[in-house]
Amino acid sequence: MKKMMTAAVSLVAGLTLVACGTGDKDAAIAPLDKIKEKGTLVVATSPDYAPFEFQTLVDGKNKVVGADILMAEKIAEKLGVKLEVSSMSFDNVLNSVQNGKADIAIAGLSVSEDRMKVFDFSDAYYHVQDVLLVKKDGASSYTSTDSLAGKKVAVQKGTTQEVYAKENLKDASIISLTQMGEAINELKSGQVDAVLLDSPVALGYASQNKDLAVADIKFPETDANTKAIVMPKDSGSLKEEIDKIVKELVETGEYENYLKEVANYTAVE
Ligand code: ARG
């Protein structure tokens, strides 16, 4: 009987050690090695943000396209793995990198101090400004952020614009919405007075909606105007490899070409 008990204890101990070992082993795998082992790069994005990532109809089917998606394809190609684009609402994009469901996030993401505490960022691949999208017939009344007193300003939940608006537009009512398209619809229907968002996206909506315009208000330039790719903290060789690819795309003008290429697509909700 004693021998059987000893064997059982050894077996449990052995299994426990293996389990711990497996767990530690998985946690110890460098992000780049994990991606190469899987053979797939999972990229989290929120396809409601043309020209960076948005949905369009290709042969009657919804497809996620955009300059960021073309960049993701290039990164996967250079790493020698398949690309899996994981679409979700923007306020879930960073969580999916943090919980390991996605390897990286490319979603028109801006650099911010808060985010840098939790994630690694690639080198910058683009620069934008924060702008205010309003109804064209009232655009001239918006001359500074003081003009927003008493107004309803929509922002996308989880964005740097949401943080900026809540901290700086104290006299406005800040309405946080999950989908960018929802914010635009609320603006068009008069439910909100303005939408705060990235400049290229606002210009796209203004060009497709003759009743909308970008207000002539200058918002402060901060790190949040620099776009970069989000990776887990201390990504090491993954960051090194992605930075090399981003540097090439920026220096050759290839990312700018991606923006021109996707300008021909029409975004669908
Ligand atoms: N640049 C802003 C940020 O990083 C907004 C990004 C929204 N992106 C999107 N795919 N909806 O918070």
Side-chain angles (χ1 to χ4, degrees), residues 38-39 43 58 75 89 91 119 127-128 144 153 173-174 190 193 201 211 213 218 232 253:
K38 288 186 295 157
V43 177
V58 176
I75 292 169
S89 60
D91 57 339
F119 302 98
H127 297 274
V128 295
S144 76
V153 178
S173 299
I174 308 305
D193 301 297
V201 184
D211 58 334
K218 293 281 180 279

Side-chain angles (χ1 to χ4, degrees), residues 46 48-49 53 107-110 115 156 159-161 198 227:
S46 170
D48 60 354
Y49 221 56
E53 47 277 332
L109 282 152
S110 304
R115 289 172 178 173
Q156 186 170 28
T159 62
T160 50
Q161 285 89 3
D198 290 349
K227 292 202 174 305

Side-chain angles (χ1 to χ4, degrees), residues 42 85 101 117 120 150 243:
V42 179
V85 175
K101 286 183 181 166
K117 290 172 188 161
D120 274 1
D243 280 347

Side-chain angles (χ1 to χ4, degrees), residues 89-144:
S89 60
F90 183 75
D91 57 339
N92 285 317
V93 163
L94 292 176
N95 293 339
S96 68
V97 174
Q98 204 162 13
N99 64 27
K101 286 183 181 166
D103 298 306
I104 64 174
I106 309 181
L109 282 152
S110 304
V111 176
S112 79
E113 284 183 18
D114 287 347
R115 289 172 178 173
M116 288 178 78
K117 290 172 188 161
V118 184
F119 302 98
D120 274 1
F121 273 96
S122 71
D123 289 346
Y125 65 83
Y126 201 62
H127 297 274
V128 295
Q129 289 75 40
D130 280 353
V131 296
L132 204 68
L133 192 63
V134 296
K135 294 296 273 298
K136 183 179 281 185
D137 53 12
S140 58
S141 65
Y142 295 95
T143 54
S144 76

